[in-house]
Amino acid sequence: EAGVAQSPRYKIIEKRQSVAFWCNPISGHATLYWYQQILGQGPKLLIQFQNNGVVDDSQLPKDRFSAERLKGVDSTLKIQPAKLEDSAVYLCASSSTGGRGGPLHFGNGTRLTVT
Amino acid sequence: AQSVTQLDSQVPVFEEAPVELRCNYSSSVSVYLFWYVQYPNQGLQLLLKYLSGSTLVESINGFEAEFNKSQTSFHLRKPSVHISDTAEYFCAVTDYTGGSNYKLTFGKGTLLTVNP
C-alpha cells in the first residue's frame, strides 16, 4: 500500500511569512495526526482528526496555526505568521484504528526553517 | 496525560556490542507501548509494539523490548548492534484523546551511534 505522502519536503521562509503543508494519508485511514518535531525533542501532537472532525487540538497554537481536513481525506496545516521557534519538522501520520493499539504510519515530514 | 522518559539522549557503542535504550512511562493503567526508529531525513518507522500477552516483544531485525508493569518500563535491547542501527529511537505510549480515539505521546528520543 502507498504510504503517507507529505509535501513539500523542505521549506525556508522568513519570519512573519505564511506557509502551508499538505498531507495525504494511507487510503482508508480515518484518523490523521499532525506532529511537530523540534530538533532534539520527540514529536509533539498538534492536532488529531477523525474523518473531518477535530478530536484533539489542545496543543495547537491557534493564534497562528490552523489545519483542515475538509473531505476527511487529505489535510493542510498552515502557519500564519511564522515565528523563529516554528522551525521544526512537521510530521503527518495516519491510523486505521483511531490510534488504539494499531501503529501510526508516518510520512517523511516537512522540514521548515524560519529565518 | 501520559508522559514518557528516555533517560539517555545519546548512546555511543561499538559494532557488535550489546545495547540497551531505556524508557519509562508515567501511567499504571493499561497502556500500549511502542518503539519507533527514525533514520536521517526520514519519518518514524515502527520497530516493535506491546499490546498484550507476552511481555517480551521482538522485531524482525534483532531488537527486543520487555514490558515491566511494576517498574513502568519498556526498555529496548539488542545483543549485537550493526553500524546500520545508527538512528534515533523513540519510545511512545498511547494516550486517550476522547471518544474512541488515542494519540501517541513520545519520549525525547535516544540517538544510538554505532562506531566501527
Side-chain angles (χ1 to χ4, degrees):
Chain A
E1 62 181 5
V4 176
Q6 289 188 248
S7 67
R9 283 300 309 275
Y10 306 92
K11 191 74 178 179
I12 301 174
I13 62 172
E14 295 181 351
K15 60 183 179 183
R16 292 187 289 275
Q17 287 186 326
S18 63
V19 64
F21 313 128
W22 175 82
C23 171
N24 194 28
I26 292 173
S27 178
H29 282 196
T31 311
L32 184 147
Y33 307 80
W34 283 102
Y35 278 84
Q36 180 192 55
Q37 185 178 15
I38 293 174
L39 186 65
Q41 299 182 21
K44 181 187 80 172
L45 181 71
L46 292 176
I47 190 166
Q48 178 183 355
F49 291 95
Q50 178 69 13
N51 296 309
N52 60 352
V54 175
V55 173
D56 182 356
D57 64 356
S58 57
Q59 298 194 79
L60 186 74
K62 298 179 186 65
D63 58 334
R64 298 183 301 105
F65 285 65
S66 64
E68 60 184 16
R69 194 185 184 199
L70 294 176
K71 296 182 178 179
V73 181
D74 57 345
S75 175
T76 302
L77 176 69
K78 296 180 181 178
I79 308 175
Q80 182 179 11
K83 292 185 174 181
L84 295 177
E85 60 260 36
D86 297 332
S87 293
V89 176
Y90 291 85
L91 295 165
C92 179
S94 69
S95 168
S96 62
T97 64
R100 178 176 173 85
L104 271 60
H105 300 265
F106 285 85
N108 285 332
T110 295
R111 183 179 298 276
L112 173 67
T113 302
V114 182
T115 62
Chain B
Q2 299 276 9
S3 66
V4 178
T5 302
Q6 291 185 245
L7 295 167
D8 306 299
S9 59
Q10 296 187 51
V11 173
V13 295
F14 287 109
E15 194 173 17
E16 298 183 4
V19 70
E20 178 180 78
L21 307 183
R22 296 178 291 170
C23 171
N24 289 88
Y25 61 95
S26 61
S27 175
S28 60
V29 299
S30 296
V31 293
Y32 298 146
L33 294 156
F34 303 81
W35 277 98
Y36 279 81
V37 59
Q38 187 175 35
Y39 298 101
N41 297 315
Q42 295 187 25
L44 283 82
Q45 302 173 32
L46 179 67
L47 187 61
L48 46 74
K49 61 183 178 182
Y50 171 77
L51 304 182
S52 64
S54 173
T55 58
L56 186 66
V57 290
E58 298 177 353
S59 72
I60 58 174
N61 57 354
F63 283 94
E64 63 180 29
E66 186 164 18
F67 169 61
N68 188 318
K69 186 175 181 178
S70 63
Q71 296 186 9
T72 60
S73 69
F74 190 53
H75 300 332
L76 181 69
R77 302 184 184 96
K78 189 170 185 180
S80 176
V81 293
H82 302 291
I83 290 188
S84 59
D85 293 324
T86 295
E88 189 140 29
Y89 292 80
F90 292 93
C91 182
V93 63
T94 48
D95 206 350
Y96 183 62
T97 51
S100 59
N101 297 292
Y102 295 78
K103 67 180 181 182
L104 285 185
T105 294
F106 287 87
K108 290 188 175 182
T110 298
L111 178 61
L112 173 64
T113 303
V114 181
N115 298 301

